[in-house]
Amino acid sequence: MSDLTTVELLWLEKRIENRIRFGKPASEKIVHHRRILSFLPGSIFAFVRWTSNDFGTILSRIDILRAVAPGQRYSTVPWVSPGGESLLRLAGWPKVERVLQLIDSVESLGIDPADAAPAYWHHAHNRLSVNEKPRAYTRARHQAWLHRHRMAL
């Protein structure tokens, strides 16, 4: 059993799109028509899933997960093995789109969203799940997170 968390990506035109929006995979391999990305324990990544049928979209979901080490608790997520610590999990295009905008705004600060404070993704989940606007992620918040993280090490 590997210490890595794997995510299976699949794209079938106009049917299924599983993709990573951000994250730093440790490895990648292609198996048939699928890409399999592996993440080290502690890595944070965003996994977007979209599925449709002949009548339109039937699933639109985003999960921001932290890869777990063996023995740690985790939530199961389709296409993710074994699963991950859930920082954010939202469904429905309006909410998914809002999370994608938040990710863009973090990137616009010159910050990799995978390095943003995990508590921010929890905050965004909590606010968006009740249709409230999350606080913006700022450089000052990021610096405070980095300082707290260094102090904890």
Side-chain angles (χ1 to χ4, degrees):
M1 182 170 173
S2 172
D3 289 353
L4 301 176
T5 296
T6 60
V7 182
E8 192 172 334
L9 305 180
L10 175 65
W11 182 79
L12 298 173
E13 189 173 0
K14 298 182 182 178
R15 291 292 183 186
I16 297 173
E17 182 179 343
N18 293 349
R19 65 185 177 97
I20 294 295
R21 173 56 184 84
F22 69 77
K24 300 170 188 166
S27 68
E28 175 182 350
K29 65 181 174 179
I30 308 257
V31 178
H32 300 290
H33 299 290
R34 293 180 166 94
R35 286 175 54 216
I36 299 174
L37 301 180
S38 299
F39 293 89
L40 294 169
S43 299
I44 295 175
F45 59 93
F47 180 43
V48 181
R49 294 182 286 145
W50 173 86
T51 306
S52 73
N53 62 17
D54 293 336
F55 303 104
T57 298
I58 57 174
L59 172 77
S60 185
R61 166 167 257 138
I62 187 166
D63 291 273
I64 297 180
L65 302 165
R66 183 175 6 212
V68 296
Q72 288 183 309
R73 293 179 304 159
Y74 59 86
S75 298
T76 58
V77 176
W79 308 93
V80 178
S81 179
E85 178 189 348
S86 182
L87 303 177
L88 178 146
R89 185 174 204 169
L90 293 167
W93 178 245
K95 290 180 181 177
V96 170
E97 183 178 38
R98 186 65 187 114
V99 174
L100 294 173
Q101 291 167 352
L102 291 175
I103 292 167
D104 290 343
S105 70
V106 170
E107 288 175 331
S108 75
L109 298 171
I111 298 167
D112 186 330
D115 297 330
Y120 178 72
W121 300 121
H122 278 294
H123 163 74
H125 166 86
N126 291 336
R127 298 295 295 211
L128 292 171
S129 65
V130 294
N131 296 317
E132 293 290 330
K133 183 178 179 181
R135 289 186 306 270
Y137 197 70
T138 63
R139 283 191 177 93
R141 287 184 199 278
H142 188 64
Q143 290 303 316
W145 150 245
L146 292 176
H147 182 71
R148 284 191 313 273
H149 184 65
R150 279 192 301 270
M151 297 301 289
L153 295 178

